[in-house]
Amino acid sequence: MSLEVAVACLFAVVSGMNDGGALLATGLKLPTVRPIVGVLTLVLLTALVPLVSQQVAHTFVTRLAAFEGPGAGRAMTIAVLSAIAVVMVLSHHGRPTSLTLAIVGGLTGAGLGWGLEVSAGSVALVLAVGLAAPFAGALAAWATTRLLVAMTTSRGLRRWHWAGFALQCVAYAANDGQKMLAVFLIAVGSSGPSVSFTVAVLFGLGTMYGMPRAGRTLSREILASRPLHGVAAELASGTTVIACAAAGMPVSMTQSIAGSLIGTGVAYGGGRVRWYAAVKIVVAWLLTLPAAGVLAAVAAITVKGIS
């Protein structure tokens, strides 16, 4: 196994550890979807959806920087390792962050450091859409919460929970989850059912390992939540991320979920939102992309210089 493929496998596992718990966290207080069923559903959709659409994966591979030709695999390896390092350091210091932001920064920085063609316009557009996604999720969650309060019984809420969870899983597979596929595309030079299912299995293993810790921040720290909050956040974040996927724009599902949880809390007056936790997460987001970009650029320049 080449170093590039090994790093791609590691990235899929880390993605599961970082993202999987966040996807399941919003519905933990309404146990309609059991954790094992949730993990299996998420893994299956992560494998199947990229077989239909890979728009976001190609944005990672070609629109941010042209990862083609000699040295592209090594530049990708530097980008991925830089992204993982930044996320692990921030998480270790109690600052959970977005692996998607980290890989966007890592790919951009590694591309610049290696001398690849980087599209400033595409990077700026991805950043603008990523910045808007949590606010769009918050607004959608505020409206969804009002509607659910007005029209939903406790039994009906369980049905909406299934719908929201399924929507969220599809959204992740169509958008955020394709960062894993993009890394494999660069590492092996192709994609197909075998690659998609390999990515999904590795992601599932990471999710099962990291779910308890990854889910804690979103399910407990941001919001003193009720079951309805989780359902509204699932519906809102899923809708927001699918809309971004249709435009081929990579956004962070964890950012969208966090924004949606804040939006559903504000629908009750804002007193349920633990703003200190929200600020802590926003600060981590602001640090993630530039830190990953600088680290990857320096590493790429160094490795290219001595190779």
Side-chain angles (χ1 to χ4, degrees):
M1 180 186 293
S2 69
L3 176 61
E4 289 84 0
V5 174
V7 170
C9 291
L10 173 64
F11 184 67
V13 174
V14 173
S15 294
M17 294 168 58
N18 190 73
D19 298 346
L23 286 166
L24 297 172
T26 49
L28 289 179
K29 294 197 174 182
L30 185 65
T32 305
V33 181
R34 295 180 180 275
I36 187 62
V37 175
V39 171
L40 291 175
T41 302
L42 181 57
V43 168
L44 183 61
L45 289 172
T46 300
L48 294 178
V49 171
L51 299 179
V52 178
S53 172
Q54 297 183 2
Q55 282 182 278
V56 175
H58 285 288
T59 296
F60 277 113
V61 175
T62 62
R63 292 181 65 180
L64 297 177
F67 280 85
E68 299 173 345
R74 279 183 290 175
M76 179 277 295
T77 299
I78 291 169
V80 172
L81 291 176
S82 298
I84 291 173
V86 169
V87 169
M88 291 183 68
V89 168
L90 288 172
S91 297
H92 179 72
H93 287 86
R95 299 290 188 270
T97 189
S98 163
L99 190 53
T100 299
L101 284 177
I103 194 61
V104 169
L107 289 171
T108 303
L112 289 170
W114 202 267
L116 303 176
E117 183 180 350
V118 175
S119 172
S122 294
V123 173
L125 180 59
V126 167
L127 291 179
V129 174
L131 178 64
F135 293 97
L139 182 60
W142 180 88
T144 302
T145 301
R146 293 302 182 99
L147 288 173
L148 290 176
V149 168
M151 59 182 284
T152 305
T153 63
S154 59
R155 181 175 297 180
L157 190 64
R158 291 178 178 270
R159 290 196 291 268
W160 279 113
H161 180 30
W162 265 112
F165 177 73
L167 182 67
Q168 199 175 59
C169 289
V170 170
Y172 182 84
N175 194 311
D176 201 323
Q178 291 200 18
K179 62 181 179 287
M180 297 176 287
L181 182 62
V183 171
F184 269 88
L185 277 169
I186 298 170
V188 303
S190 63
S191 64
S194 61
V195 173
S196 292
F197 278 92
T198 298
V199 168
V201 169
L202 293 169
F203 173 78
L205 292 174
T207 296
M208 293 179 68
Y209 177 79
M211 185 168 56
R213 182 176 180 181
R216 189 177 302 123
T217 298
L218 291 180
S219 65
R220 299 178 186 177
E221 289 187 16
I222 288 181
L223 189 70
S225 65
R226 294 178 178 176
L228 188 142
H229 293 134
V231 175
E234 287 174 335
L235 291 166
S237 61
T239 301
T240 300
V241 173
I242 284 178
C244 293
M249 289 292 103
V251 297
S252 168
M253 176 63 82
T254 53
Q255 284 183 287
S256 297
I257 293 172
S260 296
L261 285 171
I262 291 171
T264 191
V266 169
Y268 279 83
R272 291 183 175 274
V273 179
R274 298 187 175 109
W275 294 105
Y276 69 90
V279 170
K280 181 173 71 173
I281 292 175
V282 170
V283 170
W285 291 344
L286 294 175
L287 291 173
T288 298
L289 190 146
V294 170
L295 179 61
V298 171
I301 292 170
T302 302
V303 172
K304 188 177 182 181
I306 63 177
S307 60

